[in-house]
Amino acid sequence: MKLMKKKKKGLIIFLVALVVVGGCGAFFIPKLFSKSEARGDRKFQMNSVELSKMDLTESVSATGTIESASTTTVSADVQNVTVKKVLVKVGDTVKKGQALVSFDKSELQEAVTEAKEDYSDTVSQNSTDLSQAYQQLSDARSTYASDKKRLEKVVKEAQAALKKAQKKAKATKKESSASSAVGAGSVGTGSGPDGTNPVGTGSGGTGSMGGSSAGTGSSGTSTVTITDNMTVSEAKAALKQAKENLASTNKQNLKSINSAKQAVSQAQTSNKKQLRQAKRSVQNAQKSLKSASLTATMDGTVTALGVSEGSAYNGGEAVEISDLSSFQVTTTVSEYDINKVKEGQRVVILTDATGDEELEGTISYVAMTMGSSTLSSGSSTASAGGGSGDMSMGGSSSSSSSGYEVTIKLNAGNDKIRSGMTAKCSIIINEAKDVYAVPYDAIHTNSNNEDVIYVKDSSGSMASGGSQKEIKVTKGMESDYYVEVSSSELSDGLSVIIPSDESTATGSSDSDNSGDGFGFMMGGGSFPGSGSGGFPGSGSGGPPSGGGPGN
């Protein structure tokens, strides 16, 4: 009884194994021939793809860095000032005008006081210098007037002495002529009680000008002496000297007046310059005092700090603020593709942080020249003293010199995005929605030079005796792998034939499978649209085979 049970159990296992082997044979053997055709020692593989509508895109790929769309660095126009307190930290959100850093103002206040005192001293000293210059001018004019008056008096006295000498000489000459006429005796005794000649003594002795002299009162001129008994020649010499002294002294005094005028003008000019410098020093000191607290120049997030409490600050970038609600990508595009890229084009962006989530962007800038579009690297700075400054649109990134700089603005924010992340960008050059498309290798050129595709007819598998059908198509947009096709004969579900690489048969016995429904390839027959005896698309004008995906 137990033996019969064992025999029955063994028989059942054998039958099950036989069924399994038979099923596998039935499954695999047709597969060996369903998509192949042998000819001689060559075996051709045929694939097909089911036709359906899809979205096509033509794009340019680029890789760049995500950064804030607007970034600014704030600095103060002060030197050697102690940082009293840092009021923010990295990651803080700030508003325009908000205080960021404060400094120790004691030294700055002292500087303002000293500058004001210097200004007051300058005003006082300038007043003194100008007064002295005016006094020198006044003295020069007074000296000119007094010397002129005195020397003109000497000239007049000399003129009077000359006239007197001339008159006396004339009288003497007249008396001499009369004495010659009456004889020496009468003239010699005269009528005087002492027997002297009254004409010889004259009526005035030395006269009113006897023994007088007049100096010029100015160094470098000769003294003029005038007496009552001067001869005509002596009087003329005295007059000449008096006139020369007057002219020389007047010239010297006028020169002194001009020098004094120049001194006044120079004092006025110097005073203006010194006052302007002193005033500027006060303004600079006041500005430094006012700048002793940094304020935000835009709304945003603190992304970097360049100061710490208790340290000495000597200018430079203190706080970096970025607008993290708006990002952009800076990238480069090669000269081969740059003419396809235009402002306003849509961009699909992927990052490691966002995984398969596609971010949308828009081209906002395309450089006109290769290399960086900025003249200097680094973020621009904003001076916090007056609350204004330049803003860097795009932070401190610079583009490679091997391509043209392109800026892509992200259309919406994302909590996973961080500045500095790498972005893989697909710039959409062209796109078509819901269209029929086939791989490149599925399109061939027939004998009429028309673009066609080949599909299996509705009668069933070609391996079981079915045939193919040629459909004339119009090509449209092309992507990297697919071509848009249109025709009134196209419909969803058509099985489009795609050739693949041929392979060498493993033995001559494979040729025995030639009767499995691919008779159109035997006996020198040709596939519709192909070259003589060739596979679809193998004739001239057809695209290279093996590039499209299989079914």
Side-chain angles (χ1 to χ4, degrees), residues 258-269:
N258 289 333
S259 296
K261 287 181 178 178
Q262 290 179 0
V264 170
S265 178
Q266 290 175 356
Q268 290 173 333
T269 301

Side-chain angles (χ1 to χ4, degrees), residues 178-198:
S179 298
S180 298
V182 298
S186 59
V187 175
T189 60
S191 57
D194 57 354
T196 60
N197 189 350

Side-chain angles (χ1 to χ4, degrees), residues 37-51:
E37 173 62 28
R39 183 178 181 184
D41 61 347
R42 291 168 45 155
K43 180 186 294 182
F44 294 92
Q45 298 293 330
M46 293 183 61
N47 297 319
S48 64
V49 62
E50 186 175 295
L51 185 66

Side-chain angles (χ1 to χ4, degrees), residues 315-370:
E317 299 174 355
V319 182
E320 181 184 76
I321 302 174
S322 300
D323 180 5
L324 299 185
S325 65
S326 177
F327 287 98
Q328 66 182 23
V329 177
T330 299
T331 184
T332 56
V333 174
S334 69
E335 58 183 302
Y336 177 80
D337 292 321
I338 191 61
N339 288 330
K340 303 174 185 177
V341 179
K342 303 288 188 298
E343 289 187 19
Q345 287 176 331
R346 187 170 72 89
V347 183
V348 177
I349 303 168
L350 294 176
T351 69
D352 291 340
T354 54
D356 294 334
E357 181 181 358
E358 294 182 349
L359 305 177
E360 289 285 331
T362 304
I363 299 292
S364 60
Y365 170 77
V366 179
M368 298 299 296
T369 58
M370 184 174 288

Side-chain angles (χ1 to χ4, degrees), residues 71-322:
T71 296
T72 184
T73 53
V74 186
S75 62
D77 189 16
V78 293
Q79 294 291 323
N80 196 26
V81 179
T82 302
V83 177
K84 186 176 182 180
K85 191 172 182 60
V86 179
L87 305 174
V88 294
K89 61 182 182 297
V90 174
D92 286 353
T93 301
V94 296
K95 294 290 184 180
K96 182 177 181 179
Q98 179 178 334
L100 305 174
V101 178
S102 64
F103 301 98
D104 185 353
K105 299 182 180 181
S106 58
E107 294 181 358
L108 297 175
Q109 289 171 337
E110 290 177 3
V112 172
T113 301
E114 291 177 359
K116 288 182 176 180
E117 290 176 353
D118 290 343
Y119 178 80
S120 178
D121 292 342
T122 300
V123 171
S124 177
Q125 185 62 46
N126 286 350
S127 177
T128 300
D129 293 343
L130 188 59
S131 296
Q132 291 177 349
Y134 274 120
Q135 185 60 49
Q136 290 176 357
L137 177 59
S138 177
D139 293 344
R141 286 172 174 171
S142 177
T143 299
Y144 170 77
S146 62
D147 285 351
K148 181 180 180 182
K149 183 178 180 180
R150 179 173 55 78
L151 294 176
E152 284 178 346
K153 181 180 179 181
V154 173
V155 170
K156 288 180 180 180
E157 290 177 351
Q159 288 173 340
L162 177 59
K163 287 181 180 180
K164 183 176 181 180
Q166 289 174 338
K167 184 177 180 180
K168 182 178 179 181
K170 186 177 181 180
T172 301
K173 184 177 181 182
K174 185 176 180 181
E175 290 177 355
S176 297
S177 297
S179 298
S180 298
V182 298
S186 59
V187 175
T189 60
S191 57
D194 57 354
T196 60
N197 189 350
V199 178
T201 60
S203 61
T206 59
S208 61
M209 299 178 66
S212 66
S213 64
T216 63
S218 177
S219 63
T221 59
S222 300
T223 301
V224 178
T225 302
I226 301 173
T227 64
D228 287 339
N229 296 322
M230 295 178 68
T231 62
V232 173
S233 60
E234 291 174 341
K236 285 183 178 180
L239 178 59
K240 179 181 178 182
Q241 186 62 52
K243 288 182 177 180
E244 289 178 353
N245 287 350
L246 175 62
S248 176
T249 303
N250 283 347
K251 182 179 180 181
Q252 183 64 35
N253 288 338
L254 287 174
K255 185 177 180 180
S256 297
I257 290 174
N258 289 333
S259 296
K261 287 181 178 178
Q262 290 179 0
V264 170
S265 178
Q266 290 175 356
Q268 290 173 333
T269 301
S270 178
N271 287 356
K272 289 180 180 178
K273 183 178 181 180
Q274 291 174 355
L275 284 175
R276 185 165 56 250
Q277 290 176 342
K279 186 176 182 179
R280 185 180 297 115
S281 296
V282 173
Q283 292 173 341
N284 289 340
Q286 290 174 333
K287 182 180 179 181
S288 295
L289 180 60
K290 185 179 180 180
S291 301
S293 59
L294 294 178
T295 57
T297 55
M298 59 175 279
D299 294 349
T301 302
V302 176
T303 52
L305 286 174
V307 293
S308 59
E309 293 183 8
S311 64
Y313 178 74
N314 290 288
E317 299 174 355
V319 182
E320 181 184 76
I321 302 174
S322 300

Side-chain angles (χ1 to χ4, degrees), residues 372-439:
S372 177
S373 62
T374 56
L375 296 179
S376 60
S377 62
S379 302
S380 62
T381 59
S383 174
S388 63
D390 296 332
M391 184 178 296
S392 169
M393 302 307 292
S396 60
S397 296
S398 60
S399 64
S400 169
S401 60
S402 62
Y404 290 81
E405 183 177 326
V406 174
T407 302
I408 303 166
K409 182 179 180 181
L410 271 67
N411 296 341
N414 190 299
D415 293 339
K416 299 178 182 179
I417 292 297
R418 294 290 185 273
S419 182
M421 288 182 174
T422 299
K424 302 168 187 176
C425 308
S426 293
I427 303 171
I428 308 303
I429 306 303
N430 195 8
E431 56 186 335
K433 300 287 187 179
D434 197 30
V435 295
Y436 287 118
V438 296

